[in-house]
Amino acid sequence: QVQLVESGGGLVQAGGSLRLSCAVSGGTFTHYAMGWFRQAPGKEREFVAGGRETYADSVKGRFTISRDNAKNTVYLQMNSLKPEDTAVYYCAAGRPRVRVGVRSNDYDYWGQGTQVTVSS
């Protein structure tokens, strides 16, 4: 059973930074494509980052996705945070595709989510 556990969320002021981590267990980490999504209250879940360097336009230049295969962990470094970045952030794992998956249906496994709140 593949399990994903996010950590690193919290409360930060606008302009600040956070680094989210997602530890993967129960599967072969290098076999998975990884992505980050977020869901704000009253909104649908949206793609944030995936693959080596695919980003939503809203976070491009501010967020960086990376992975450490030795630690079975994927990260999301978030800089210059804005109040509109407030959401529950989820990491996801799925089979590799020719193009980076940007839809929820492109991923098979999900973490429980971690809250990120950016105050103005």
Side-chain angles (χ1 to χ4, degrees):
Q1 181 74 14
V2 178
Q3 291 187 325
L4 287 68
V5 179
E6 301 101 334
S7 61
L11 174 64
V12 64
Q13 289 187 334
S17 298
L18 284 174
R19 188 177 80 155
L20 306 183
S21 300
C22 174
V24 181
S25 62
T28 303
F29 182 67
T30 53
H31 290 181
Y32 295 113
M34 301 299 298
W36 286 95
F37 288 73
R38 67 186 181 186
Q39 188 167 17
K43 295 187 176 181
E44 293 186 354
R45 188 172 299 187
E46 64 176 0
F47 172 80
V48 174
R52 293 186 178 182
E53 54 182 13
T54 300
Y55 300 96
D57 288 343
S58 58
V59 307
K60 204 170 291 184
R62 299 187 298 122
F63 290 12
T64 303
I65 186 173
S66 63
R67 63 191 289 166
D68 186 335
N69 290 336
K71 296 183 178 180
N72 291 354
T73 300
V74 61
Y75 303 97
L76 185 67
Q77 177 66 43
M78 306 186 294
N79 298 329
S80 302
L81 282 161
K82 305 175 181 180
E84 50 264 44
D85 294 318
T86 295
V88 177
Y89 283 71
Y90 299 90
C91 68
R95 63 178 179 85
R97 298 170 181 269
V98 174
R99 290 188 172 185
V100 171
V102 298
R103 305 173 304 167
S104 295
N105 289 345
D106 292 332
Y107 297 86
D108 303 306
Y109 305 101
W110 293 83
Q112 82 288 349
T114 186
Q115 177 71 46
V116 171
T117 303
V118 184
S119 63
S120 57

